[in-house]
Each structure stands twice: as structure tokens, then as C-alpha cells.
Amino acid sequence: MNSMLVAPAIMVGIGLFFGTILAIAQRFLKVDEDPRIEATNELLPGTNCGACGQPGCLPFAEKLVSGEVDPGQCTVSTDDNIEQIAEYLQVDAGRQEKLVARLRCSGGHLQANQIAEYLGFEGCRAAAVVSGGGKGCSWGCLGLADCERACTFDAIHMNANGLPQVDTEKCRACPDCVAACPRDLFELMPLSQNLYVQCNIPLAGEAAIQLCEVACDACGKCVADAAPGLITMQDNLPVIDYSSGGEPRPDAVFRCATHSIVWLEREQFQEQESRQARSG
Amino acid sequence: MEAFRFLRRNFEHGVHPAHHKQQTENLPIQRVPFGKDYLMPLGQHIGVPAQAVVTAGEKVRRGQLIAKPGGFVSTGLHSPVTGTVKTVGDFRGVDGRFAPAIEIEADPFATQQVDVNAAIDWRSLSLEEFIEAVQMAGIVGMGGAAFPAHVKLSVPDGVKIRHLLINGAECEPFLTTDHRLMLERPEALLEGAEIMRQKLGAEETVIGVEMNKPDAIEILKQHIKPDQPIRIVPLKVKYPQGAEKMMIKSVFDVEVPAGQLPRDVEVNVNNVGTIVAIADYFLRGMPLIERVVTVAGPGVTYPANLIVPLGTPVRDVVKFCGGLKPGSREIIMGGPMMGRPIASLDAPILKGCSGVLVFTEEQTARRKEYPCISCGRCLEACPYFLNPSRLARLSKSRMFDEMKDYHVFDCVECGCCTFACPSNIPIVQLIRTAKDDLTHRKEPEA
């Protein structure tokens, strides 16, 4: 009987001993974590997309509480959420202008000159490493939906013309598509910015037009028609500088023969599809 | 034990693709007639592109230097024809990117003969001069990788090359260029080998030839002079026997560790074509302006082994071989395992292009892809002991950064895994995709 009790007694003894150590450690080695970090983290979307420049939502919450960043830098949260966080932390929301991803190409299956058929598996980068895909243009969209697959927010869908269409409502300007595109065609720009170049061909004149119907042939009419300094030609492509002070007006695009510079009014490719309808 | 050495002449893993060489292995090398337009991309080799030294409108002679090396890992470029430089500008390359190239229009009335120079007295050249001569001659690895030959020759101080290994394995199916060179120009090969061996100060030359070329082994043996320290090693027929690390394992039973070069195990490996090119330059003064190309595959009317001037459009080469059969679908430059398909018949023959293979509907049809069943055949096939199935899965989930932990950059894209996969997963293509993403991805500005 006695020997039977020895084992439980030892176990209880060990338990009490380590329990005491834990109790002491809890009392003297305690680290105070700001409860606001946890609460702020709860208010963040939890997608860990990295659009804010932080590795994830929790590090962003830590930076928020320490005041290093503004709640507005989270591009994924809704406006209400950002208000809530700002109110909770008693800071300025630091609202940022909404950015969306825009594709610098409008040469879909219907416009770009096709020189070969790509038979490999679906994926832009996979096609890009095999002879650069089937399109004659070496700079344009390959149309095999790497961006659609990379998008965290289901904001990109391929349209019938084989070009990605960005849903500006859903787009949170995380840089997923920018990193995924093997041709570096995506650019994050403010939603309010209407004037936009939809071509990436650094060739001029005939050479560009041979590759694609809607290529920029670097004629320079948009530069002449826009406010001075607003548009400049760099590497045979117009570059729009919104900070130049010139007022952007739709006039700049009127004389573009290939519609490679556009004035966006609505969704990115609606304009172009209606143009096809007109010509077809 | 020495008697059983031949039993160890092997490397681990690898696959056994049908060799398909019967189409061209008995056809002597022919010369293609000269055409009209030639396009010489400045970046035909691994490393820094060459720099053009000619301008549009200039008359060039066959064999004249048209571009000088752009750096140390770069080689010279010579005009393949006598004619006029049409343009020096950007052209769509084989990889689909626009890159600088020199377009030359051949003079239809020229004799197109190289003024055969007197043999260069290679014995009197110092090693540095020899290396520079090889660089200026534009000689690169002719097996397919097009790595500048002079870079391999320049070994750092303290490293001693003991063996010169000549790669005559030609393990890729369809290709027969090295086989024909060994049969038709054994003297040039052995003389080139002797030049290389003496300049490197190596003790012996070893020529590794796969056992499916018994005639080549026989002819080479006949031509070796008794005083030459050259031996021929017949190798097991297995892919990728011609990968330099595999060949070193087979011949010397030494493994080259990952991230190291053959020179770290005192070996210098060169392809048969490279050695012949060196012999041509030092004995006849002819720089690298043409190469032997196998034109084969089910889509070619008359398969052939051809001497093609560099820069000839594939269109002209195919036309010479009777054109494409109806139903031809895909043209591959290089071997079927590692070569790349071309998007346009205007693509020129490059220094590293050992074959032009045409495949029809039947061979190019994509078989249905099934999920990975974790059978492990790709692991058993991979000669570099990687885990292709894991790499493919990670690439499919776009987890490219994690692939570095699985040594994705040790992969040489030999294609064994894809060949072995019963689920038809395009493993190599997935790995290539990941490598491209890791090296070319645009990091968004924070």
C-alpha cells in the first residue's frame, strides 16, 4: 500500500515545485503587451497582403499603436473600418487616395499580331520563358492570367479579348499583380487619374504598328495637345506627369490614331470594347 | 578490381529516352548553300553581349570580326558571309525579347570562301595569349549552353587541370552532330584535343562516347597515335550522360559538389564541336562562323546533318531539307529534352544550336495532366538529387521563394523528371517559370 502511494506523491511534488516556479515567473517576469495592439489587429482585415509595406496585419497593428503609420495606409480596409481604427486609437485617419492597378497594354487577341501558337501550360511567365509566347509584341500582355491567379482579392478577371480586367471596386492596390506580371505591365495609380497610356512598346512608327493595331507609334500628338509639360515622350512612349501642374484634359487623346492613350471614364476596357463594336 | 571498373562507369538516376538517331546518324555532313539574309545576335553566348564594331552599310568579308567581346565572359563575333551590313539594331531574339543584332545581306557574287590563313603557331603562344585568341575567335561551348570556351580555360592560380575530358556522349535524342564530327573529322578532333591538353598542361585526354556509337569509338581509336595520352571511354547509353557533372562521375567516379565547377576536381570538360572549332581556328585560321546542325524530326522531308553558317534563318535550313511536311506544328532549336521551341522561322541559327527538330501534331499534342500521385519517379530520375515533385507543387501554388529552400537553382532543366512523370505534369516548365520569377520579378516599391 505504501509503495503504491510513492509514485503519485512524487508526481504531486514535482507538479507543485514547477507550479511554484511558474507562479513566480508570472509575477516577476511579466511582459506588458499593449492591449490596443490586439484590439487594432481585430479591426484590420487580416489578409496579410502586404500592401501597406508591412509583413502582415499584426506588425501593421503594432506600428499603428506606436504611431509610426496612419490607419489610411491599409488599402484593404473599408472607409468605415479605417474610421473605427482612427477613432479607437485617437489618431488622424490619414486618408490616402484610392489606388487601383492599371494594365499598360490594350493589345488583346483581336489587336495584337499573333506569330505563333503557344502550346505549353497556361501561365504568362511559363510562356514568357518559351520564346516569349505567341504574340509578335515582346512587351505586351501575354493573356494567360498569371495576374488573375495571383490576385488576393479576386479583382482581376480575363475578358473575352484575353486581357485582364481590373474590378476597381475590389482592387485594393496590393502589389500582387505588379509582381506577378512577367512583362511588368501593371501600375498602381490613383483611381481619379483619368489620362492613361495603354501601351508598352518602345518602338516608333511602322515597327510598332506592325506588332499591334493599338500600339503607340510615338507620333507625339498627345504631347502637343496636352497642357505643356504634362506629357513627355520617353523611349517612344508618352509619360504622364500629374505633378507637373498642367491640367489633364480629355483633349490629349482625341487625335491618337491608335487609341493607345486613353481618357478613362468608366471601367478600363469598356471603352475599348465599345470601339470594337463600332468598327465591327 | 580494375577489371570491373567498367561496371562503375555510370551515374546515379537519369532516364532512357528512345534515341531516334537512325534518321540522320548515317548521313554525311553536307554544306547548305548560302542564302540572302543573315542575322547575328550579339548575345549568342552566356554572359555579356558582344559590342558591334561595324556600322550599317559597311562591307564585310566572311570571317571578319564584326563584334568585339563586351567583357571577360563574352566572345567575339565574325561575319558568316561576305556581304553588306544592313542594320545594326534590335531584333526579336529566340527568347522572345528584343536584343541587339547585326543583319548582314550576303553578296550574291562573292565566292564566300574563307581566306584560309596559315596555321597559327599555338605552341609559341603563352597561356594568356592563347586564351585571348580563343575569346577573339568567338569559340563557345557547342553542346548547347554556349558558355564561352576561354572562361573554362582560364583557371585561377593554384588550380591544376589533370584531365581534359571531351564530351562525345550526345545523349539528346535525334541529334547526331557530334557523332558525325567524330566519324568525319577525327584528325581535327584529336589535333584540337592535343592543343587544348598541352595548353592546359593536363596529363591525359579522355574522350567519353556513348556505347550506341561504336563506329565513332572505332574510328577514333584508329586515329590515336601511340605516343598520344588519349583514351576513349565507352559510356552507358543514358540521359543525361552528356551533362558535364554526370560525365565526370561516369568517367572518373568523382562527384562534383553542387555549386562547384569541374575544375575543382581537376577536370576540364569540352564538347566535341568545341574542340573541332579550336582545331579549325588554330590550324586553319577559321573563327567560329559556322556549325554542324542536325535537322531531323518527323516533320522534316529530308533529314540531314548540315554545316550551316551562323545567322542563317531556320527558314532557309528547313527549305534546304525539303520543307516541312503537312501537319508540322512545332520547331525546336536544340535537342528535344532541353531545346527551346521557336516562335518564328526567321529565328537564326546560333552558336549553341545543335539541332533543328520539327514535330507534328502527333508528338506535340498535350497529354491530359493528372494530379501528382507522389509515386516518386521524378525523384528517381533527377540526376541532381532534387525533389522535382515538391518543386512543381510549390511552383503551381506560386510559392516561388520557398523553392529556394529546395535548391531550385541547382536544377539544370535536363527534363528527366518531366520525361518520367506518369501524370504528365510539365515539371521542368514549372521550374523554369519559378526561376524566371525569382530572377526577373519586379519588386514593388515599398
Side-chain angles (χ1 to χ4, degrees), chain B residues 270-287:
Chain B
N270 278 290
N271 184 267
V272 165
T274 318
I275 300 288
V276 173
I278 282 186
D280 276 344
Y281 182 61
F282 287 100
L283 303 175
R284 291 170 50 210
M286 193 180 92

Side-chain angles (χ1 to χ4, degrees), chain A residues 10-279:
Chain A
I10 289 173
M11 287 307 296
V12 170
I14 293 172
L16 282 175
F17 175 68
F18 283 112
T20 320
I21 292 178
L22 281 177
I24 294 168
Q26 156 81 4
R27 181 128 176 78
F28 293 103
L29 304 173
K30 193 175 166 194
V31 178
D32 280 310
E33 197 190 52
D34 197 329
R36 291 182 300 166
I37 292 176
E38 187 53 41
T40 315
N41 191 32
E42 292 287 307
L43 291 169
L44 288 171
T47 50
N48 292 325
C49 65
C52 53
Q54 305 301 325
C57 289
L58 188 60
F60 183 67
E62 282 168 15
K63 290 261 164 93
L64 273 179
V65 171
S66 64
E68 285 173 55
V69 292
D70 292 327
Q73 286 177 5
C74 176
T75 55
V76 181
S77 295
T78 57
D79 290 355
D80 287 350
N81 256 343
I82 289 171
E83 283 300 325
Q84 255 183 320
I85 295 169
E87 212 170 288
Y88 175 76
L89 292 171
Q90 299 294 311
V91 292
D92 185 46
R95 183 62 42 78
Q96 305 229 327
E97 202 175 359
K98 184 175 163 57
L99 298 173
V100 288
R102 298 278 200 210
L103 188 74
R104 224 172 21 227
C105 173
S106 59
H109 300 324
L110 297 165
Q111 292 87 17
N113 182 11
Q114 204 83 13
I115 58 167
E117 189 190 355
Y118 171 68
L119 298 169
F121 85 103
E122 298 279 300
C124 305
R125 211 173 268 278
V129 294
V130 180
S131 312
K135 275 183 194 168
C137 172
S138 294
W139 300 274
C141 175
L142 288 150
L144 292 162
D146 264 3
C147 47
E148 185 180 311
R149 280 187 283 273
C151 183
T152 315
F153 301 100
D154 193 30
I156 300 181
H157 293 283
M158 303 306 287
N159 65 12
N161 193 16
L163 287 174
Q165 192 158 356
V166 181
D167 185 336
T168 47
E169 289 287 305
K170 284 185 184 166
C171 178
R172 296 294 169 202
C174 72
D176 283 348
C177 51
V178 178
C181 183
R183 296 271 164 91
D184 296 338
L185 290 172
F186 275 106
E187 202 176 328
L188 300 176
M189 53 187 266
L191 183 61
S192 59
Q193 197 169 314
N194 303 56
L195 201 57
Y196 185 53
V197 183
Q198 280 191 335
C199 183
N200 196 28
I201 300 183
L203 299 178
E206 270 306 299
I209 299 295
Q210 269 177 4
L211 297 177
C212 180
E213 245 177 70
V214 290
C216 168
D217 58 359
C219 64
K221 285 176 194 150
C222 52
V223 179
D225 291 354
L230 180 67
I231 305 179
T232 46
M233 270 295 177
Q234 286 172 19
D235 288 339
N236 291 328
L237 281 173
V239 175
I240 301 160
D241 183 9
Y242 262 65
S243 62
S244 70
E247 191 206 343
R249 281 190 315 269
D251 313 15
V253 310
F254 289 166
R255 282 205 295 152
C256 182
T258 57
H259 304 275
S260 53
I261 184 165
V262 284
W263 179 262
L264 299 169
E265 292 279 355
R266 289 157 291 157
E267 275 298 295
Q268 187 184 359
F269 290 110
Q270 278 184 9
E271 189 65 21
Q272 195 190 323
E273 273 159 19
S274 63
R275 195 169 71 225
Q276 280 153 27
R278 270 205 307 276
S279 63

Side-chain angles (χ1 to χ4, degrees), chain B residues 216-377:
Chain B
I217 296 173
E218 201 47 49
I219 287 207
L220 286 176
K221 275 187 180 159
Q222 279 167 19
H223 280 82
I224 297 175
K225 294 186 193 91
D227 60 324
Q228 284 178 322
I230 299 180
R231 78 190 153 98
I232 315 253
V233 178
L235 298 166
K236 204 176 157 189
V237 181
K238 189 170 163 185
Y239 181 86
Q241 188 68 265
E244 59 180 17
K245 290 187 179 184
M246 299 306 120
M247 193 158 216
I248 292 171
K249 175 80 180 61
S250 299
V251 174
F252 302 109
D253 203 20
V254 181
E255 204 160 295
V256 184
Q260 289 196 16
L261 296 167
R263 68 171 185 228
D264 296 316
V265 296
E266 306 178 324
V267 182
N268 185 295
V269 189
N270 278 290
N271 184 267
V272 165
T274 318
I275 300 288
V276 173
I278 282 186
D280 276 344
Y281 182 61
F282 287 100
L283 303 175
R284 291 170 50 210
M286 193 180 92
L288 185 59
I289 51 172
E290 54 194 22
R291 66 156 300 146
V292 184
V293 176
T294 297
V295 186
V300 174
T301 315
Y302 302 111
N305 293 303
L306 303 172
I307 295 180
V308 184
L310 297 175
T312 308
V314 171
R315 187 186 304 281
D316 287 2
V317 177
V318 170
K319 208 185 269 172
F320 179 74
C321 291
L324 301 176
K325 281 187 191 164
S328 295
R329 193 93 190 276
E330 186 176 6
I331 299 184
I332 293 180
M333 257 197 186
M337 299 292 278
M338 287 192 69
R340 306 244 166 158
I342 51 172
S344 158
L345 281 169
D346 294 326
I349 299 284
L350 306 176
K351 286 180 183 177
C353 163
S354 43
V356 172
L357 306 177
V358 186
F359 294 100
T360 57
E361 205 85 41
E362 203 182 321
Q363 293 91 27
T364 52
R366 269 188 76 199
R367 284 172 296 172
K368 187 175 184 301
E369 189 182 327
Y370 294 94
C372 172
I373 53 168
S374 302
C375 64
R377 282 194 203 171

Side-chain angles (χ1 to χ4, degrees), chain B residues 4-75:
Chain B
F4 296 104
R5 226 186 112 88
F6 71 95
L7 284 177
R8 283 190 282 130
R9 276 197 192 127
N10 201 356
F11 62 92
E12 306 275 323
H13 295 184
V15 291
H16 296 274
H19 65 77
H20 292 291
K21 293 186 195 267
Q22 58 279 16
Q23 246 186 339
T24 51
E25 65 185 349
N26 294 322
L27 301 174
I29 300 174
Q30 280 173 279
R31 184 175 279 279
V32 274
F34 284 87
K36 188 164 168 276
D37 292 316
Y38 290 81
L39 185 64
M40 290 292 275
L42 296 178
Q44 294 194 23
H45 45 263
I46 291 181
V48 194
Q51 286 170 348
V53 293
V54 289
T55 45
E58 209 172 310
K59 292 248 186 284
V60 287
R61 192 174 50 80
R62 184 163 142 87
Q64 181 189 331
L65 188 78
I66 52 172
K68 63 176 197 301
F72 178 64
V73 189
S74 179
T75 67

Side-chain angles (χ1 to χ4, degrees), chain B residues 64-87:
Chain B
Q64 181 189 331
L65 188 78
I66 52 172
K68 63 176 197 301
F72 178 64
V73 189
S74 179
T75 67
L77 214 56
H78 302 80
S79 174
V81 289
T82 301
T84 320
V85 177
K86 238 164 112 184
T87 358

